[in-house]
């Protein structure tokens, strides 16, 4: 009996020490739901516009090679600006100010580097004989792009989309400093109040979103990638 | 059928023309083989015919129509011309069926016509449609891929085929088989074919007409027999190599030198030392050696029509090779 109760006590201590954040999440469930929803919707918004914008740019520079280095340069510069200052720059712009628009725009700029680079690399990975055969069969440049280059580039483009999604989910926490009420707020306030439970709660929930999105995207990728390419990857 | 008239091609950024003042004609239903070392301009000529690249000057005509006519959309032109390349270039993300159906789809054939056509084509190139139609290119062997490449080029039944080392990527045994099968197909199809190779033996085997190129210039053209028996210069001689006489024996039919007056001796019958009139003379030689005889009987179907002796072959070699 004594032995069993001591084990229970030990387990209780462990739980309090390391899983206190679970209590926190249950206690503050209303906030958790609100912040998680905000976080999620910000990531989705950013990814939606990033896909449209950066896939187009990636395709454009794969056609007009001269623009490629300029685009990579811009992407790299944007990527190395510390996120907190990029958010800061946006709130100084009139019309934008504190809030979602600024947060979304800054994150879309961050997405440029990994997205554009992977689209370009994917399109360029299509081997010359395949394009030559397409042309020789009488496919127009547009048909070659949509029926050959993009489908073959999918796995590489998708790798870019997945990396970007995970990355944006992480950086979005910083947007709490410019007024976003998302999971970053738990981390921020947790640091201010020296509450490990709050910090861990925020971090774990952010990770859950990232892993969940990556998992879903992985499923989508599997669905839309031709088995002819899938098998090729598995073999090599 | 296909006419080139003083065609030049200078690639941008290069002073040396890749193709210099080349003129020739390919007759309907013929296989015309372009042969020469790499960089001699043979592939460039092929790619100019279907306008993958444009000539710097000169004109190309197909069936009397200038291919560079403004009214002619190059994509539409290419759909009327079969194209096979050495690297094959099958679309890796599409099944064999979809690959073969590529041009019919581009030409917007009705769906119900495409499937049977694909099966017919796969059958024609020696593949089992049930087995390969739903496979992806990476699941095929090199020889099978080449066959699919040929089937794809034939899909819309184009009157003209351009083939750039179509059997180049497979081992010699498979290559020989593919060549034989293609020649058999061609007997029925009677396509007008431009065929590029660097292998003079392949050229002699496949060609009705051979065009020999070097450094962008046309060195000699003619039938395989003409090229072998009268090489224009030392370049052609070197290209043909040392086995010129043997190649000539491959090209000459036994019927051309059969001695019809000679009696067929009993020893020949005993050893079953016979060949057919349509066999090449080389077969006569092989048979003599195998059966240890200096005389072979020649049959036309079942009829015994005469003999070929060792001396007849020697005479032929002396006549064909002349001073060489």
């Amino acid at each position: 009996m004594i032995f069993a109760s001591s084990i229970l006590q030990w387990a209780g201590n462990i739980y309090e020490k390391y899983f206190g954040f679970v209590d926190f999440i249950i206690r503050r469930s209303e906030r958790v739901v609100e912040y998680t929803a905000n976080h999620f919707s910000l990531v989705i918004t950013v990814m939606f516009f990033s896909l449209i914008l950066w896939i187009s740019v990636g395709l454009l520079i794969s056609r007009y090679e001269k623009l490629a280095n300029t685009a990579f340069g811009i992407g790299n510069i944007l990527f190395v600006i510390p996120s907190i200052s990029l958010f800061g720059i946006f709130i100084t712009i009139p019309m934008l100010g504190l809030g979602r628009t600024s947060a979304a725009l800054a994150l879309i700029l961050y997405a440029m580097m990994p997205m554009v680079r992977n689209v370009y690399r994917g399109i360029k990975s299509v081997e010359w004989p395949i394009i030559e055969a397409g042309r020789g069969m009488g496919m127009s440049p547009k048909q070659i792009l949509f029926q050959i280059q993009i489908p073959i580039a999918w796995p590489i483009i998708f790798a870019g989309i997945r990396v970007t999604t995970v990355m944006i989910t992480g950086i979005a926490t910083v947007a709490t400093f410019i007024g976003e009420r998302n999971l970053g707020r738990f981390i921020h306030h947790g640091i201010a109040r020296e509450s490990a439970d709050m910090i861990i709660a925020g971090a774990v929930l952010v990770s859950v979103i990232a892993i969940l999105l990556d998992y879903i995207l992985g499923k989508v990728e599997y669905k839309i990638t031709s088995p002819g390419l899938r098998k090729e990857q598995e073999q090599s | 059928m296909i006419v080139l008239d003083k065609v030049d091609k200078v690639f941008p950024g290069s002073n040396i023309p890749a193709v210099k003042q080349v003129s020739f004609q390919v007759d309907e239903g013929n296989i015309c083989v372009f042969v020469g070392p790499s960089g001699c301009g043979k592939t460039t000529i092929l790619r100019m015919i279907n306008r993958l690249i444009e000539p710097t000057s000169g004109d190309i005509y197909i069936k009397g129509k200038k291919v560079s006519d403004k009214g002619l959309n190059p994509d539409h032109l290419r759909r009327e011309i079969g194209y096979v390349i050495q690297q094959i270039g099958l679309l890796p993300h599409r099944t064999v069926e979809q690959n073969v159906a590529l041009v019919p789809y581009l030409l917007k054939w009705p769906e119900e016509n495409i499937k049977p056509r694909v099966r017919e084509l796969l059958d024609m190139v020696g593949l089992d449609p049930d087995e390969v139609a739903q496979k992806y290119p990476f699941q095929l062997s090199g020889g099978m891929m080449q066959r699919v490449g040929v089937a794809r080029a034939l899909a819309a039944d184009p009157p003209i085929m351009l083939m750039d080392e179509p059997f180049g990527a497979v081992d010699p045994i498979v290559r020989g088989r593919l060549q034989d099968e293609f020649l058999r197909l061609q007997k029925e199809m009677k396509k007008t074919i431009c065929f590029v190779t660097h292998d003079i033996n392949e050229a002699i085997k496949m060609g009705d007409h051979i065009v020999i190129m070097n450094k962008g210039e046309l060195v000699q053209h003619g039938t395989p027999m003409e090229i072998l028996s009268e090489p224009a210069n030392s370049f052609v001689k070197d290209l043909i190599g040392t086995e010129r006489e043997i190649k000539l024996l491959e090209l000459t039919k036994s019927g051309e030198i059969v001695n019809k007056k000679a009696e067929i001796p009993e020893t020949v019958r005993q050893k079953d030392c016979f060949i057919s009139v349509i066999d090449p003379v080389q077969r006569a030689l092989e048979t003599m050696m195998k059966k240890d005889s200096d005389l072979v009987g020649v049959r036309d179907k079942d009829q015994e029509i005469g003999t070929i002796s060792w001396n007849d072959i020697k005479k032929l070699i002396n006549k064909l090779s002349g001073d060489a």
Side-chain angles (χ1 to χ4, degrees):
Chain A
M1 273 312 277
I2 296 166
F3 180 67
S5 75
S6 70
I7 283 196
L8 267 180
Q9 197 173 2
W10 176 75
N13 283 343
I14 295 273
Y15 178 81
E16 232 165 75
K17 200 167 173 191
Y18 297 105
F19 292 90
F21 75 94
V22 178
D23 266 351
F24 175 85
I25 291 173
I26 296 165
R27 238 180 18 246
R28 307 282 297 275
S29 59
E30 228 168 279
R31 272 285 151 76
V32 168
V33 170
E34 182 200 341
Y35 289 175
T36 307
N38 279 342
H39 204 108
F40 199 77
S41 69
L42 177 63
V43 172
I44 297 295
T45 313
V46 169
M47 285 316 293
F48 177 75
F49 289 107
S50 294
L51 287 177
I52 297 173
L53 188 60
W54 301 136
I55 289 184
S56 312
V57 171
L59 294 178
L60 197 75
I61 62 170
S62 66
R63 174 72 56 92
Y64 303 101
E65 293 274 347
K66 281 180 190 154
L67 298 175
N69 281 329
T70 317
F72 292 152
I74 295 171
N76 287 343
I77 289 169
L78 289 171
F79 200 68
V80 295
I81 299 176
S83 47
I84 194 140
S85 51
L86 193 60
F87 285 124
I89 292 165
F90 269 97
I91 58 171
T92 63
I93 299 173
M95 313 284 294
L96 295 175
L98 283 169
R100 172 140 294 193
T101 319
S102 293
L105 282 174
L107 290 171
I108 290 171
L109 291 184
Y110 266 109
M112 179 177 182
M113 198 279 279
M115 290 276 294
V116 169
R117 199 167 270 275
N118 274 47
V119 172
Y120 177 84
R121 205 163 59 86
I123 296 292
K124 289 290 156 192
S125 76
V126 181
E127 286 164 26
W128 177 83
I130 299 172
I131 309 271
E132 167 82 358
R135 287 187 68 205
M137 297 294 136
M139 293 175 97
S140 66
K142 209 168 110 195
Q143 286 168 327
I144 289 176
L145 181 66
F146 285 104
Q147 296 182 30
I148 297 184
Q149 290 176 303
I150 292 180
I152 294 178
W154 259 130
I156 296 174
I157 296 178
F158 235 90
I161 295 175
R162 288 171 72 171
V163 165
T164 309
T165 309
V166 170
M167 187 189 87
I168 293 296
T169 310
I171 303 179
T173 52
V174 183
T176 185
F177 292 107
I178 60 165
E180 269 292 310
R181 294 169 62 81
N182 66 19
L183 294 169
R185 192 145 289 201
F186 284 142
I187 299 170
H188 175 204
H189 288 173
I191 293 168
R193 296 177 204 167
E194 290 184 41
S195 159
D197 288 350
M198 261 180 112
I199 299 173
I200 296 172
V204 166
L205 289 168
V206 168
S207 314
V208 168
I209 294 181
I211 293 168
L212 185 76
L213 284 174
D214 191 53
Y215 177 79
I216 295 169
L217 286 172
K219 287 281 175 202
V220 175
E221 177 184 352
Y222 192 81
K223 263 258 151 35
I224 62 175
T225 302
S226 153
L229 300 170
R230 211 155 59 212
K231 299 276 169 44
E232 207 170 45
Q233 278 184 327
E234 280 164 13
Q235 274 194 337
S236 60
Chain B
M1 187 73 171
I2 301 171
V3 178
L4 269 75
D5 185 21
K6 296 200 184 103
V7 171
D8 274 305
K9 176 69 191 177
V10 185
F11 283 108
S14 160
N15 301 323
I16 311 147
V19 171
K20 252 188 282 187
Q21 293 286 304
V22 169
S23 306
F24 65 84
Q25 180 180 334
V26 185
D27 295 329
E28 189 160 354
N30 268 2
I31 302 182
C32 176
V33 181
F34 303 88
V35 62
S38 60
C40 71
K42 52 195 195 293
T43 296
T44 307
I45 287 184
L46 213 62
R47 300 180 76 225
M48 282 193 286
I49 294 174
N50 67 356
R51 283 186 73 186
L52 286 169
I53 48 179
E54 304 285 351
T56 311
S57 67
D59 291 312
I60 298 172
Y61 302 86
I62 293 177
K63 289 188 197 160
K65 262 198 292 186
K66 215 192 246 190
V67 294
S68 58
D69 253 350
K70 289 228 168 63
L72 219 58
N73 179 331
D75 292 331
H76 294 173
L77 171 79
R78 287 181 208 128
R79 289 172 200 171
E80 312 280 319
I81 301 177
Y83 189 50
V84 188
I85 53 176
Q86 180 183 0
Q87 304 88 341
I88 313 170
L90 296 181
L91 309 187
H93 59 299
R94 296 205 176 164
T95 59
V96 167
E97 183 173 41
Q98 291 166 329
N99 266 288
V100 175
L102 186 63
V103 179
Y105 271 122
L106 292 175
L107 292 172
K108 303 199 168 62
W109 282 22
E111 193 83 29
E112 66 267 22
N113 293 1
I114 294 180
K115 273 211 173 188
R117 176 65 179 155
V118 170
R119 293 185 68 85
E120 181 191 345
L121 283 160
L122 289 176
D123 218 29
M124 208 157 97
V125 298
L127 293 169
D128 177 6
D130 294 319
E131 194 198 320
V132 299
Q134 298 311 320
K135 281 192 172 165
Y136 285 92
F138 80 94
Q139 295 167 301
L140 307 178
S141 69
M144 287 161 102
M145 282 196 224
Q146 297 276 11
R147 288 163 197 264
V148 175
V150 172
R152 180 175 65 177
L154 288 170
D157 205 12
I160 296 170
M161 299 265 289
L162 305 178
M163 309 179 84
D164 189 351
E165 308 226 10
F167 311 128
V170 289
D171 62 76
I173 296 168
V174 177
R175 188 182 312 146
R177 208 157 57 212
L178 289 174
Q179 288 166 345
D180 292 337
E181 286 175 21
F182 188 77
L183 285 174
R184 208 193 58 230
L185 272 180
Q186 166 66 1
K187 260 190 194 145
E188 298 158 24
M189 301 189 303
K190 301 251 189 305
K191 305 266 182 215
T192 307
I193 297 170
C194 294
F195 191 109
V196 162
T197 180
H198 64 268
D199 176 1
I200 186 73
N201 295 321
E202 190 174 41
I204 291 167
K205 181 171 176 183
M206 304 299 287
D208 296 308
H209 200 84
I210 294 179
V211 173
I212 295 179
M213 305 272 307
N214 188 27
K215 294 181 184 149
E217 282 177 279
L218 193 157
V219 182
Q220 187 180 5
H221 67 116
T223 63
M225 199 59 161
E226 281 163 6
I227 302 270
L228 280 175
S229 52
E230 291 157 46
N233 56 24
S234 60
F235 173 79
V236 179
K237 259 185 217 166
D238 287 346
L239 193 72
I240 295 167
T242 49
E243 298 159 342
R244 191 155 73 96
E245 287 77 10
I246 295 176
K247 284 166 194 156
L248 281 167
L249 296 185
E250 280 174 34
L251 281 174
T252 312
K253 300 262 178 292
S254 303
E256 291 174 32
I257 61 162
V258 64
N259 187 350
K260 285 185 178 167
K261 286 172 208 144
E263 277 291 311
I264 297 173
E266 204 49 41
T267 50
V268 168
R269 286 224 177 76
Q270 276 164 12
K271 289 181 188 165
D272 190 29
C273 200
F274 280 99
I275 59 169
S276 155
V277 271
I278 54 165
D279 283 333
V281 174
Q282 191 200 15
R283 175 67 58 81
L285 208 56
E286 283 167 10
T287 313
M288 283 180 195
M289 286 172 188
K290 235 184 262 166
K291 308 273 177 167
D292 191 24
S293 156
D294 50 10
L295 200 69
V296 289
V298 179
R299 281 180 181 144
D300 188 357
K301 292 182 187 126
D302 287 333
Q303 204 107 44
E304 289 166 5
I305 60 166
T307 64
I308 294 176
S309 69
W310 174 231
N311 269 330
D312 294 331
I313 296 176
K314 265 204 291 204
K315 259 187 253 162
L316 173 75
I317 292 175
N318 286 334
K319 196 180 95 196
L320 288 176
S321 56
D323 57 352

